[in-house]
């Protein structure tokens, strides 16, 4: 069977999680997130972010987190703003609009938003009450293109949002990868300080399921649990989420796993760079987009699975490679071997 | 710690499931339900129900299943009909209405619907276009009160629904318990034959998470997956659901677990009946509602957790006891012992 | 052609309105409610209710008013409470639920709600976050059954709502009829003082179209216009609504018209009472529900149109008669003549 | 007072309409669109479009028409496609998204869609079920920019939509202006033949309120009235809409009014062209977008109201002028006089 670099959710979960599920399996616990594991995991996350007054909720996946957060925050006539590459715009089957809210889209090469990007959107939505009211800025870190926000960039965005009464929401499906990138100067504490809401993605970083929504803005905390229940996201056995995040947060396993994924991607990237390969964008997380000639792509695809992302010209295309918490050295080395031979 | 009879989702999952998760953990699989375990589990369910042309989708929980099924079937102006005790009416934070649909409620002591119950509802909704159009009948088996449908009752309801162009949807959060009740003459094949859609509940019968939605009516199958994705219910690691249902369906583990839960409840029920205890309703599944005097309830609550369901008079209240796939003999015997001693 | 007592919107509008439309027809005005007529009409209403800080918006009809008000007030997980006879429950094709909100229904013979009716509903919705949160009490005056609230009743309800953090919303599709009822001790000023939102119905009281939504609670005023636009209720030629309410409010025409309608109904009612006729409910507005034997109903139906409302027994049924601002003496006297002859 | 060229809904309605309202004012009629005027008006429209099997419904305004039509056609996971200038995208406060549906936007200079514009949108939405499914193409004629579709363009679009199982919906808020443009080769019969649904706008063409929705595709006709009621758009006094469309359709008043508006705009346009004025787009309907230097704009604004649409450079801006059914010769000539003098 071919090894897959298609995504970071191809395998099960980190063994510690299965061990913990096994260990606690027959303990009777309260349902719906009131179990002791969930309570402990929440405390652990609050410690990590150094914010005792944040509230934390666990849900199963990213689309679910996005639709619950956004629909709980916005009034019916308010809308979200997102980079055109945003997951909520392209890969969630209109989940946000299905809750009644438009998303305004901004074209950005690198998938990141700046105050300068947002200003004209605000200016073009002043015809009250004939237009939606922009109220929430959706960003992701790392982004759907593998890029990341610097501390300075996030501070600027956060300040701008506060000044313009916009909520700032960070999709953290790949938060671990973003924060442990070798070029990142952002920390989880800073994310918590600078955003109104964010989430820590488990699904793409070693959990079976699970994202931890962290609500830092206290005005957005009220009654949040109702929204989770109403959208069908409140698991009867909330323990499944609690146990997983307890394991991931212990001893920083969460960050170790993400760092590992990043490092495996960087090995491939660096090997390619040595061979003069160009990239669609210059990423330092577990997603890379090398531009290769079609023959090399053909050769690689005999042994590996990956997405051909974008045709560049007659002879060249960009491919997308994603490594995971569980990507071992062997497939990485095999892949690099082919690159070295074929280029 | 007190043993809890509060519900059937207090423990983790059947050990076979954890073993299977462990066994397949590092196999790379396609995401979003295209993994081999999900495909196999779907085939196995189709065999059990003897309907090759049904379509099967796995989601995480009951509220999620209910809201996705109902919102995917109904046009904006159509509504569901449910017994007043229906889970969708009382325990889902308005999840169905949040998708835009009214639920018409019918008061029934036993939580079950008959054609005779539905006829007046249809008659009272003929003022076109000033009223919602009833289009879907929601039932559950076993019901929220622990009661079950007989084959004859389900046949009558199914025929009535077809004649009146109503879809029949059975909530099977406790399907196993309903079908393995000692007084049930209904089979899974018959459920599949007589309903348009139903689901097999995993969460309350030995899975960590998971309900298997079975769409028998082919006209309702089209594009169903879009609805799952849009509501945030499509797990990236669909394998988690596939592996669980594969284990549950193998060798009828699903039914064995439910039967066990029922039997433990019946032991308690019979012990009480011998002592002359009355019940709120005469159930034969894993939920029982004995009426006890307050002193006995007090005594029991020293060693056990359970819900006091309804005050009957000054001295007596009904309690709700729920047993599970994992309820062992010891707590059951201990509980019976107290009953024998105190009554 | 038979004269119709079927409802109070069978005719066009009061002649003053047509004259005003004619008079101002070619004046160019700003669109979307910024016309001078709308602005003047709003001022006039504020004077009538003695509340300078209320905000007023005109929309076309009652269902529209109800759905805009309720959906603008409630958060996604919150719901409305209504008497089971409420227009929003029975005659609006699920318009409220279509905006995502459940309505909890309370059975009441007279169509009116009291604190005592609401208390158990609140008590049965304490299972946070598994149930919708009751947040708005919907009442109508006069009610769908022609009954009215006394000042004392409204005060009690208003106090209760404030204590329980519930919003109080009065549907005033027939506000004129309610307030000018010979037994009413309620005034428009008091309605404005005791409710968070109410509306003055024009459609059923001499306008072509139009209801004036009055928002008394300032916290509910913010951004309200967005909701009107989003629901398709903001007329480009808002002047049509402004001119009508300007005419209706001038010299209390609005109340004169309603009083006239009430009086015509009372004439019929009194004539029947003299003949010993019983009524479904004892109303003092423009709706009456006399119980007549089938032969008399047959006789009346040869000359008049009306709804047979409810079968009482083999020989008797209740009919519903509605008079309007435009019901002249002749049909009323003719009707009474038959009653006198046949009973 | 300055004369306004700001829009085509600044005045009341055509005098014939007021006369008809007066004439029929006291006739008792059935409510909710079952009045004889509405029935007659529908028949008249069917004759005009030469399609006896189309169904017609009257609503109050354009946003209302758009949201009802689109939400009634689309399943929850389906979306609309629109030119980026589409009214539904920019000027309806997210009304379509509020019913749960995304709108995909296509940038077009002239505000018109072609098959070539739509093909890449379809190709970019093939990742089933992770993306919304495009299902309806929204166009307007005349467009928001005053441009129009030729017969050939509409035929090509219609064929493309049928081949790709897309519904074609034409917003006809300014249908009269589009069809009576001096360069139009399209007829109302052809519009009815080539679209699934369209509407005839009354509000911007001499009515007080009112758009006539025409459903040509029979599969979309079923139960449509429920949607109108549910969205709060079913007027109790439907006669108000029926009487207006009856007058507008009689003797082609509708088209005469639109032609008049167009001609007045063309007079101004031609006068400007003689002076060498450039236009943002080359329109032949009642909207023109001349580019003028700021001094001339200043001069004109002393006597006229209009929107400054777009800054072109330091010295020049485009303004928008709209003429209406009621724009008389005097203001047009006065305006032209200034142009002649100042340029």
């Amino acid at each position: 069977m071919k090894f897959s670099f298609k995504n970071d959710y191809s395998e099960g979960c980190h063994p510690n999680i299965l061990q913990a599920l096994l260990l606690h399996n027959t303990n009777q616990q309260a349902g719906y997130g009131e179990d002791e594991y969930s309570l402990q995991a929440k405390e652990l996350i609050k410690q990590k972010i150094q914010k005792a007054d944040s509230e934390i909720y666990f849900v199963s996946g990213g689309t679910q987190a996005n639709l619950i957060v956004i629909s709980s925050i916005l009034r019916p006539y308010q809308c979200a703003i997102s980079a055109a590459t945003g997951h909520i715009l392209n890969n969630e089957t209109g989940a946000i609009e299905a809750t009644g809210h438009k998303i305004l889209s901004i074209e950005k090469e690198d998938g990141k938003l700046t105050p300068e990007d947002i200003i004209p959107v605000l200016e073009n939505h002043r015809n009250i009450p004939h237009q939606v009211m922009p109220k929430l800025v959706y960003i992701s870190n790392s982004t759907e293109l593998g890029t990341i926000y610097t501390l300075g960039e996030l501070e600027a965005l956060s300040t701008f949002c506060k000044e313009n009464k916009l909520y700032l929401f960070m999709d953290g499906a790949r938060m671990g990868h973003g924060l442990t990138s070798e070029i990142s100067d952002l920390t989880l504490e800073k994310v918590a300080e600078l955003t109104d809401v964010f989430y820590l993605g488990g699904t793409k970083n070693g959990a079976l399921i699970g994202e931890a929504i962290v609500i830092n803005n206290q005005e957005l905390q009220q009654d949040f649990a109702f929204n989770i229940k109403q959208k069908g996201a409140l698991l009867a056995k909330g323990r499944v989420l609690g146990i997983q995040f307890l394991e991931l947060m212990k001893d920083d396993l969460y960050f170790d796993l993400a760092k590992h994924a990043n490092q495996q991607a960087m090995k491939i990237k660096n090997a390619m760079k040595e061979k003069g390969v160009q990239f669609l964008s210059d990423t330092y997380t577990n997603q890379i987009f090398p531009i290769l000639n079609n023959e090399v792509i053909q050769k690689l695809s005999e042994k590996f699975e990956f997405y051909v992302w974008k045709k560049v010209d007659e002879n060249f295309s960009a491919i997308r490679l994603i490594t995971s918490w569980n990507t071992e050295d062997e497939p990485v080395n095999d892949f690099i071997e082919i690159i070295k031979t074929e280029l």
Side-chain angles (χ1 to χ4, degrees), chain A residues 12-13 45 47 54 82 84 103 129 152 184 209 245 277 288 299 306 323:
Chain A
C13 66
I45 292 173
Q47 288 170 25
S54 288
S82 167
I103 309 166
S184 178
I209 57 170
F245 272 96
V277 170
I288 58 176
K299 206 81 185 178
F306 49 80
T323 51

Side-chain angles (χ1 to χ4, degrees), chain A residues 206-226:
Chain A
L208 287 173
I209 57 170
E211 320 288 300
I213 299 172
V214 182
I215 310 179
N216 304 306
N217 182 332
Q218 289 180 59
E219 104 189 44
L220 302 180
Q221 293 172 354
Q222 196 185 357
D223 300 330
F224 190 77
F226 285 93

Side-chain angles (χ1 to χ4, degrees), chain A residues 321-341:
Chain A
L321 300 174
I322 301 192
T323 51
S324 87
W325 60 278
N326 197 39
T327 304
E328 299 186 359
D329 288 345
E330 194 182 319
V332 170
N333 291 338
D334 289 355
F335 193 94
I336 290 174
E337 203 54 47
I338 299 178
I339 291 296
K340 285 187 174 160
T341 315

Side-chain angles (χ1 to χ4, degrees), chain A residues 74 77-81 104 118 121-126 131-137 164-167:
Chain A
L74 298 181
Y77 52 88
Q78 297 173 335
C79 74
I81 295 174
L104 299 172
I118 299 171
V121 172
L122 299 185
E123 283 173 356
N124 286 329
H125 286 83
R126 300 275 191 229
Q131 296 182 294
V132 284
M133 178 196 284
K135 193 65 187 176
L136 177 147
V137 173
N164 289 277
K165 295 189 183 166
L166 298 166
Y167 296 112

Side-chain angles (χ1 to χ4, degrees), chain A residues 129-143:
Chain A
H130 300 273
Q131 296 182 294
V132 284
M133 178 196 284
K135 193 65 187 176
L136 177 147
V137 173
Y138 166 91
I139 57 175
S140 44
N141 191 45
S142 63
T143 71

